């Protein structure tokens, strides 16, 4: 079945540091890929997505590129802020018309950014 | 606010009791999902509705679990004879394309 693997955490960075969070996937079809974020005390929110190979999703300074050849969707940000402290989940889904577009999530990784 | 809402937000119950959670999706969304999230893990898919039809159930959804969406609007998830292993955050999401998540119901089984 489909699966998502995220790098082990937690991750602690100083403000303005560069962030990379690794994500690789296994899927039988041709999935869409997502990063969700969960801020303290809040629900899951979509951060960015990419629906086909070589697409780059971006939002709030975060970017991730859909790499079919390496089955990866690594999340990057050039300069993190304290407000980026949250739990980040990589996920995949089949968005074909009529398909059950359930999400398959990785375990998540906690990011803490120090001032 | 027209987001996904879930009630109650927290539920503490004793082992063996039945519990029911409610999810109110975004009104124009015809797809509704239930997920379960345990500590340190990502959400895991439980079941999926398209309108009022329950189209898929995960193997995680044992016979003690039942979900309904009677009129294709709100949904309920019932757990009968709760066990300590049922303690988790239960998340609901609705979508027309992208999934929007509710705040979840945290269940603690003592």
């Amino acid at each position: 079945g489909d699966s998502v693997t995220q790098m082990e955490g937690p991750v602690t960075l100083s403000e303005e540091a560069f962030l990379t969070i690794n994500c690789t996937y296994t899927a039988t079809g041709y999935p869409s890929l997502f990063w969700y974020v969960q801020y303290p005390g809040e629900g899951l929110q979509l951060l960015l997505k990419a629906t086909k190979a070589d697409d780059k999703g971006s939002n709030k300074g975060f970017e991730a590129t859909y790499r079919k050849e390496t089955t990866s969707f690594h999340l990057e940000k050039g300069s993190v802020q304290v407000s980026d402290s949250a739990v980040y989940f990589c996920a995949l889904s089949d968005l074909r018309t009529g398909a059950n577009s359930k999400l398959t999530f990785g375990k998540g990784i906690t990011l803490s950014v120090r001032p | 606010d027209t987001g996904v809402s879930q009630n109650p937000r927290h539920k503490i119950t004793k082992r063996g009791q039945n519990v029911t959670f409610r999810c109110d999706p975004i009104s124009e969304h015809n797809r509704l999902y239930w997920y379960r999230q345990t500590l340190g893990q990502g959400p895991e898919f439980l079941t999926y509705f398209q309108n009022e039809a329950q189209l898929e159930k995960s193997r995680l959804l044992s016979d003690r679990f039942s979900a309904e969406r009677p009129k294709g609007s709100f949904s309920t998830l019932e757990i009968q004879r709760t066990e300590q292993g049922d303690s988790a955050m239960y998340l609901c999401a609705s979508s027309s394309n992208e999934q929007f998540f509710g705040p979840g119901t945290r269940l603690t089984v003592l």
Side-chain angles (χ1 to χ4, degrees):
Chain A
D2 296 349
S3 66
V4 175
T5 301
Q6 292 185 232
M7 61 184 275
E8 293 289 324
V11 173
T12 302
L13 295 173
S14 297
E15 204 164 26
E16 299 184 1
F18 184 84
L19 170 71
T20 300
I21 301 177
N22 290 342
C23 171
T24 57
Y25 68 90
T26 302
T28 53
Y30 196 177
S32 294
L33 302 175
F34 305 82
W35 278 98
Y36 278 81
V37 60
Q38 191 167 33
Y39 297 104
E42 299 185 17
L44 277 168
Q45 302 173 26
L46 179 65
L47 179 60
L48 54 84
K49 69 178 182 182
T51 57
K52 61 182 187 294
D54 300 325
D55 265 3
K56 178 185 284 187
S58 61
N59 186 25
K60 298 182 180 180
F62 290 89
E63 293 183 340
T65 301
Y66 190 142
R67 300 289 188 198
K68 189 168 184 284
E69 64 276 13
T70 55
T71 62
S72 65
F73 193 54
H74 303 321
L75 183 68
E76 296 183 336
K77 187 173 185 181
S79 175
V80 293
Q81 305 300 311
V82 172
S83 58
D84 294 325
S85 298
V87 183
Y88 291 83
F89 295 93
C90 185
L92 65 81
S93 176
D94 182 349
L95 291 184
R96 289 174 297 163
T97 300
N100 170 5
S101 53
K102 64 186 176 186
L103 289 160
T104 299
F105 287 88
K107 287 187 176 182
I109 188 169
T110 300
L111 170 66
S112 298
V113 180
R114 299 180 301 224
Chain B
D1 187 333
T2 57
V4 178
S5 62
Q6 293 187 246
N7 288 287
R9 294 291 305 276
H10 303 274
K11 179 70 177 178
I12 300 174
T13 191
K14 292 183 179 178
R15 189 176 53 190
Q17 297 295 304
N18 299 344
V19 294
T20 300
F21 310 140
R22 177 178 170 125
C23 170
D24 286 272
I26 294 170
S27 58
E28 61 268 26
H29 288 178
N30 59 358
R31 295 184 175 191
L32 187 147
Y33 301 81
W34 286 97
Y35 295 85
R36 182 173 70 185
Q37 185 178 16
T38 53
L39 198 61
Q41 302 295 318
E44 296 173 290
F45 169 75
L46 292 178
T47 190
Y48 155 62
F49 290 85
Q50 181 144 346
N51 299 311
E52 67 276 8
Q54 187 174 19
L55 297 185
E56 186 173 339
K57 293 192 288 187
S58 161
R59 286 172 295 177
L60 292 175
L61 215 65
S62 76
D63 291 345
R64 296 184 298 104
F65 287 70
S66 62
E68 295 182 341
R69 194 183 183 196
K71 296 183 180 178
S73 56
F74 73 91
S75 176
T76 57
L77 177 67
E78 180 182 17
I79 309 174
Q80 296 182 326
R81 305 181 303 283
T82 52
E83 302 173 356
Q84 288 184 323
D86 297 331
S87 296
M89 178 74 86
Y90 290 85
L91 298 171
C92 175
S94 70
S95 80
S96 57
N97 187 9
E98 170 192 334
Q99 289 190 32
F100 291 84
F101 282 82
T105 295
R106 183 171 295 283
L107 173 66
T108 302
V109 182
L110 302 176

